[in-house]
Amino acid sequence: MNRPLVFAPRQSEAFGALVAASIGTTLAPLEEREFEGGEHKTRPLVRVRGEDVYVVQSLSGDEAGSANDRLCRLLFLIAGLKDNGAARVTACVPFLAYGRKDRRTKERDPVTLRYVAQLFEAVGTIT
């Protein structure tokens, strides 16, 4: 049986390495590039076609990036893995941004966590 591929963007690389080691593997390599205007690109540097892939990324904002930035980067990476033929992509998200907004507490409140879940579903993630 093949070892699963585990990816972790730079912002969660240390934690991702611990997760990978705990299942007897190492992190799969990624290319991460920053562009003018805050745009970015992340792509796998190994073949993912037909593979079960895991992506480890905390969505806790800090000086390295906001929760929104981390969420966007994670979604783009997952979509790219699926576009490159990954059989299944599982997101391992130890801190899920917007987890506190899982229900309406006031009239007309948005249920933001539901929208985040829909974004994960839209890019073909298993969470």
Side-chain angles (χ1 to χ4, degrees):
M1 182 171 124
N2 290 342
R3 288 187 178 164
L5 290 173
V6 180
F7 293 94
R10 190 176 311 120
Q11 298 165 323
S12 294
E13 192 170 23
F15 183 67
L18 291 172
V19 170
S22 75
I23 60 172
T25 191
T26 58
L27 286 178
L30 289 172
E31 175 191 13
E32 295 182 70
R33 294 187 58 198
E34 306 293 326
F35 298 102
E36 290 181 24
E39 294 178 21
H40 53 83
K41 172 180 91 169
T42 305
R43 71 179 180 106
L45 295 176
V46 295
R47 183 181 178 277
V48 298
R49 182 164 304 284
E51 300 288 339
D52 286 338
V53 177
Y54 297 83
V55 180
V56 179
Q57 170 80 319
S58 175
L59 299 182
S60 177
D62 61 17
E63 65 280 346
S66 70
N68 295 327
D69 181 63
R70 288 174 182 240
L71 176 60
C72 188
R73 289 171 185 267
L74 177 58
L75 292 169
F76 289 170
L77 174 56
I78 291 167
L81 291 165
K82 291 295 286 185
D83 284 350
N84 279 287
R88 231 178 3 188
V89 179
T90 303
C92 304
V93 185
F95 179 84
L96 182 60
Y98 302 106
R100 291 177 281 246
K101 270 315 284 158
D102 62 344
R103 63 187 166 277
R104 283 191 174 84
T105 54
K106 295 180 182 174
E107 207 174 321
R108 293 179 295 282
D109 257 358
V111 184
T112 312
L113 184 59
R114 183 177 77 210
Y115 313 143
V116 171
Q118 290 170 338
L119 290 169
F120 279 113
E121 288 175 352
V123 295
T125 314
I126 298 171
T127 55

